[in-house]
Amino acid sequence: MAADWRKVATAADRQRLRDWRTAFTTALRQARLSHAAQVANQGALLEPDAAIADPDGIPPGAYRCRVIKLGAKSAGMSDYTAYPAFNCDIADEGEVSSFTKTSGSQRPVGLVFNDDGGRQIFLGTLMLGDETQAIDYGRDADRDMAGAVEKIGPRRWRMILPWPRFESMMDVIELVPAG
């Protein structure tokens, strides 16, 4: 596997990553209309420019993670949905790391690549329901996921996933070391 995410990412995912700010600000604007207090309570997690340069990247280990979905993709969906924490892992795979959400009905899995500017890029797929094996990245555009992993505080990171295929305009996953 190439260590340069640009050689791995699909054209659609490169576009999603380029448009991350539009996705984030549009989704936040929608979420604030009906859930202003909940959005404000999240602090740096939901501030588009809260990233701190982190040349070392997120370290391997077990994490407590929680997902917040912002901006409804269609009528009838909520503009703000916060899920309880779940378990996920970051593992050292050599030139890249892997990310795995280990529980829940929607489980992102994939690789985390180093990038310029003190952030990392996530490219992966979405496992659903009782699936036991992930679809390879690039095989199903509806399952492909692309995002950035950013440090937002001491021992605190987030993964931003602009324009996911389902439900929301922006998914934000908070990552805090377990234990």
Side-chain angles (χ1 to χ4, degrees):
M1 175 73 45
D4 183 354
W5 68 268
R6 291 166 192 84
K7 294 179 180 176
V8 177
T10 65
D13 285 345
R14 286 192 304 272
Q15 184 65 46
R16 281 200 272 188
L17 289 167
R18 276 191 297 273
D19 292 341
W20 74 268
R21 178 175 292 287
T22 300
F24 210 148
T25 58
T26 301
L28 270 176
R29 190 169 30 260
Q30 280 191 7
R32 284 180 177 136
L33 289 175
S34 56
H35 296 86
Q38 291 96 327
V39 170
N41 286 339
Q42 299 304 323
L45 182 63
L46 299 183
E47 293 174 11
D49 297 317
I52 301 167
D54 184 20
D56 297 326
I58 190 167
Y63 287 81
R64 294 295 295 155
C65 304
R66 64 189 179 101
V67 175
I68 298 176
K69 294 180 173 280
L70 300 170
K73 268 209 163 159
S74 59
M77 301 297 298
S78 177
D79 287 320
Y80 179 91
T81 304
Y83 293 94
F86 55 86
N87 296 322
C88 59
D89 293 304
I90 299 285
D92 184 347
E93 305 287 344
E95 291 186 76
V96 298
S97 296
S98 61
F99 170 83
T100 306
K101 180 180 179 237
T102 59
S103 61
S105 60
Q106 295 182 12
R107 298 178 311 281
V109 298
L111 297 177
V112 179
F113 299 79
N114 289 327
D115 189 35
D116 302 329
R119 70 177 190 167
Q120 295 170 290
I121 299 297
F122 169 77
L123 298 175
T125 61
L126 184 63
M127 291 178 61
L128 299 171
D130 61 355
E131 293 175 344
T132 58
Q133 188 169 359
I135 296 171
D136 289 338
Y137 174 78
R139 289 194 59 200
D140 183 345
D142 285 338
R143 297 281 192 99
D144 286 349
M145 302 180 82
V149 179
E150 304 172 324
K151 187 171 189 169
I152 57 169
R155 298 176 43 85
R156 189 175 182 215
W157 291 262
R158 70 178 175 198
M159 181 186 297
I160 57 171
L161 298 159
W163 308 115
R165 298 287 189 230
F166 306 105
E167 299 173 353
S168 58
M169 291 181 192
M170 173 67 80
D171 288 353
V172 179
I173 302 175
E174 178 182 44
L175 297 102
V176 177

